[in-house]
Structure formats: C-alpha cells, structure tokens
Amino acid sequence: MRIAPKKPYRIIDNNEHFLVLDKSVGIAVHGDLKHETGDELGLLSLVKTQENIKELYPVHRLDKVTSGLLVLAKTPAANRELSMQFERREIEKFYLALSIRKPKKKQGKIVGDMARGRRGSWLLLPSRENPAITQFFSSAAQPGQRLFLLKPKTGKTHQLRVALKSIGAPIAGDALYGGDDKLESFDRTYLHAYALVFTFGGQRQQFVSLPTQGCLFTQPECLASIEAFGAPWQLAWPN
C-alpha cells in the first residue's frame, strides 16, 4: 500500500475567498520542491494540486526558512482586497524568534533603511529615508535562550532577521545572519509567523498558530513563554 507523503503545510482556515496555511520549514512559496515527475513544485503549486483548487494567489510571502501563517487568496477579488491591505500595512503580523545571544535591548523598536550586503544578505543602516520598522518584546525561554515576539510595521526582505542581528541577537540557526554561531547545533532557523489579524468582508479575522517544528520551539519552557505574552494584538507595543 502506498503511503501519501506528509504535506509541508497545515490548513488553518479554508473558505470561498482565501486559505490560511501553516507553512512548514524548508519549502519555498514558489517552485522549489521536486515532484515525482521531475518538475519543481513550490508550496503554491503543491496546495493547488493536493487540495484540488483551480487558482491561488499569494498575497504575501514567507522565506523558505520561515514557518507559520500564510494567506493565499482564492479569487481575483480577494487577491485585490488582501494585497491592498498588505500594501497599506493594515494587516497585523506577529512573529516568534529564538536567539542564543543576549540582545542590546530587551524590547523596543528597530528602525533603519536596508541595503544589500554580500551573498544575498541585507544590512540595516542608520539612515531613515524609507526605513524598515520592527517593534518587539522578548523574554527568557530556557537558559541561554531569548524568545522574541516581533511585529513588523513594514515588509522589507529579511527585515526581522536583519533587525535581530542589528541588536546583537541573530536568530538561532540562521545561516545567513547567524555569524559564528554553530549552525549544526540547530535543526532549523528559529523564525515563525505566529499570528495574523485583518478585516475581510467587514469581519475581523484573527489567526494564531504555535510553532510545531524545532526542538527549541516545542520545549515546555518556550511554549510557556509564548503563552505568557498573551494575545499579541492586545499588547501595548513600544513606540
């Protein structure tokens, strides 16, 4: 008997307008995963095939190394509405990250322009002409680990990874920004899209998904620290 392969995603919500998925680590939104036919399938193509959906539109994106909540529109009208909300920064996004380094500050706001660095990386600059803006809280997870709850106000490439590196606390397992941390000690890059809040069709939508991949994320101490943050959209975020 043939066993169906495990899907690299979990459906959180499925309605006539959009899908909300929890994306696994290691799959790109667009073509990347080898199909049995030899073609490369990304998450978008895979979901369409496995869920028998004719068309899907990615209204935002997650890096390949990032797990968590992703919204895919199912109609052109939903795609327009949701894409415009992302463009106008009306959709609230919240992320979790772990670092084994002590940050320069435990909460606050990280602001700066971003410029291209080496090997596909980005740098945070002191200038603020068109800055990336990230608000954050942090707390102790386990000994030697710091848990971050992050709220990006903008949507720049690698924004959160660069932001945490800039305060001396690169994300655990991040091969691009982790510096001299021993990457072989980690089973993933510890960045997870944790919660989304937006309005669609006059109805407020709230989605939360705890990380399920990564031995550090799933330790009881880390999960307790996540729970202690409470509902992220209700927090008084640093200005």
Side-chain angles (χ1 to χ4, degrees):
M1 182 178 69
R2 183 178 178 182
I3 299 175
K6 183 179 179 181
K7 297 178 180 179
Y9 62 89
R10 180 167 57 93
I11 295 178
I12 304 298
D13 188 69
N14 184 4
N15 58 60
E16 62 182 304
H17 304 290
F18 58 82
L19 273 175
V20 179
L21 307 177
D22 187 316
K23 181 185 93 67
S24 296
V25 176
I27 182 169
V29 175
H30 296 288
D32 184 70
L33 190 68
K34 280 286 185 183
H35 189 249
E36 60 187 16
T37 62
D39 298 327
E40 290 190 349
L41 291 180
L43 182 67
L44 195 67
S45 298
L46 198 64
V47 173
K48 287 166 63 177
T49 299
Q50 295 191 343
E51 305 303 328
N52 194 28
I53 298 174
K54 184 177 181 180
E55 197 57 79
L56 285 173
Y57 307 85
V59 297
H60 66 128
R61 63 183 296 275
L62 294 176
D63 291 341
K64 184 177 178 179
V65 300
T66 306
S67 61
L69 293 173
L70 182 74
V71 182
L72 301 173
K74 296 173 74 173
T75 68
N79 181 41
R80 284 192 300 272
E81 180 173 342
L82 290 168
S83 295
M84 287 299 296
Q85 287 191 49
F86 272 103
E87 186 177 333
R88 294 193 297 258
R89 303 176 186 175
E90 295 172 353
I91 293 181
E92 294 185 277
K93 300 174 289 181
F94 306 92
Y95 291 74
L96 297 169
L98 279 172
S99 180
I100 61 169
R101 299 297 183 94
K102 184 178 179 180
K104 297 174 184 176
K105 54 183 180 179
K106 295 182 178 179
Q107 68 177 56
K109 188 164 68 171
I110 304 167
V111 183
D113 292 324
M114 292 180 62
R116 287 193 177 275
R118 299 177 181 177
R119 300 183 297 110
S121 66
W122 290 79
L123 303 170
L124 192 71
L125 305 178
S127 58
R128 298 187 177 190
E129 294 179 12
N130 182 25
I133 304 171
T134 303
Q135 298 163 290
F136 74 98
F137 294 105
S138 73
S139 67
Q142 297 186 82
Q145 297 173 20
R146 195 87 192 162
L147 174 69
F148 291 84
L149 178 63
L150 304 141
K151 182 182 181 183
K153 299 277 285 184
T154 51
K156 310 286 187 181
T157 301
H158 293 185
Q159 176 176 326
L160 301 180
R161 298 163 71 184
V162 173
L164 288 188
K165 181 181 179 181
S166 76
I167 60 169
I171 295 171
D174 191 337
L176 194 56
Y177 298 102
D180 58 358
D181 287 344
K182 294 180 180 179
L183 295 175
E184 63 271 16
S185 300
F186 304 104
D187 55 356
R188 62 163 294 180
T189 297
Y190 276 85
L191 180 62
H192 177 78
Y194 174 51
L196 283 171
V197 179
F198 57 91
T199 299
F200 187 89
Q203 299 294 317
R204 182 175 171 85
Q205 308 286 332
Q206 296 176 176
F207 300 100
V208 175
S209 185
L210 286 167
T212 59
Q213 291 178 285
C215 61
L216 302 184
F217 265 152
T218 54
Q219 291 296 314
E221 296 89 346
C222 184
L223 293 173
S225 295
I226 295 171
E227 184 179 356
F229 281 131
W233 52 86
Q234 294 179 347
L235 296 175
W237 286 86
N239 289 318

